[in-house]
Amino acid sequence: MKILRRDASNKDFWRVGELAKFTGVSTDTLRHYERKGVLHSRRGSNGYREYPEGALERVRTIRQALAVGFTLNELGAIFKVFDSGGAPCEQVRNLAAKKLSQLEMHLKEVTALRNDLKETLQRWDKHLAKTDPGQRARLLNTLPARAGARSSSSLLLPKPSIEKKGNKHE
């Protein structure tokens, strides 16, 4: 395992490349986080971005929150409250509860799709057994209509949250 060491002369701030290396994200990602308002930097005398000491923990928090379904817009609103001295705990909890509810609904949809496919395969196996080799069984024409059906690939992906235009990097 490679041990990352920080340049001791820069202990009061992080340079963009250094922070990227320690957090495992690209410098473009860090700049994107700044544009979304979830990370802040200042400009040094040389014009380079300098991130405060707490930026490492902030980026790790952002990555963990994104991994469980928070969006950068949501995190921006949460961090705005936090950074101004507020306690956004209820807001965070309510967003997480909403995400859990959406995830549970999504799981129900995926489970129903799985069950439908199992039944379809059983029907198709019976139909194929009665079809002469080389003859078309027209299996796709026998698919039942599903009420409010989305494509199976869209069922396997989370529903996109509704965001403002221009948020394609989330």
Side-chain angles (χ1 to χ4, degrees), residues 70-86:
F70 285 88
T71 68
L72 289 176
N73 287 344
E74 291 167 339
L75 293 174
I78 291 164
F79 289 149
K80 185 176 182 180
V81 172
F82 181 83
D83 293 342
S84 66

Side-chain angles (χ1 to χ4, degrees), residues 27-104:
T27 56
D28 285 340
T29 296
L30 295 175
R31 288 188 286 272
H32 180 64
Y33 288 174
E34 281 191 71
R35 286 189 301 273
K36 298 300 278 184
V38 297
L39 186 64
H40 305 287
S41 71
R42 67 176 192 187
R43 295 294 178 152
S45 59
N46 57 7
Y48 293 148
R49 284 180 167 83
E50 296 177 343
Y51 295 92
E53 183 63 31
L56 178 68
E57 181 181 345
R58 173 66 62 100
V59 172
R60 287 179 176 162
T61 300
I62 292 166
R63 302 301 290 173
Q64 291 166 337
L66 290 172
V68 298
F70 285 88
T71 68
L72 289 176
N73 287 344
E74 291 167 339
L75 293 174
I78 291 164
F79 289 149
K80 185 176 182 180
V81 172
F82 181 83
D83 293 342
S84 66
C89 304
E90 289 293 323
Q91 181 183 2
V92 170
R93 198 249 178 248
N94 290 339
L95 281 169
K98 181 179 175 185
K99 289 176 185 315
L100 177 60
S101 176
Q102 291 170 340
L103 182 60
E104 287 174 342

Side-chain angles (χ1 to χ4, degrees), residues 32 35 72 166-170:
H32 180 64
R35 286 189 301 273
L72 289 176
N167 295 334
K168 57 186 171 188
H169 294 292
E170 284 192 52

Side-chain angles (χ1 to χ4, degrees), residues 110-125 143-144 146 152 155-156:
V110 171
T111 300
L113 175 62
R114 181 198 62 200
N115 293 341
D116 288 350
L117 281 173
K118 281 182 178 182
E119 290 174 13
T120 298
L121 286 170
Q122 289 172 352
R123 279 195 326 277
W124 283 357
D125 288 343
L143 284 171
R146 297 182 73 225
S152 63
L155 277 177
L156 301 177

Side-chain angles (χ1 to χ4, degrees), residues 13 21 23 55 83 110 128 141 157 161 170:
F13 62 89
K21 180 172 76 172
T23 58
D83 293 342
V110 171
L128 285 171
N141 293 347
L157 301 172
S161 60
E170 284 192 52

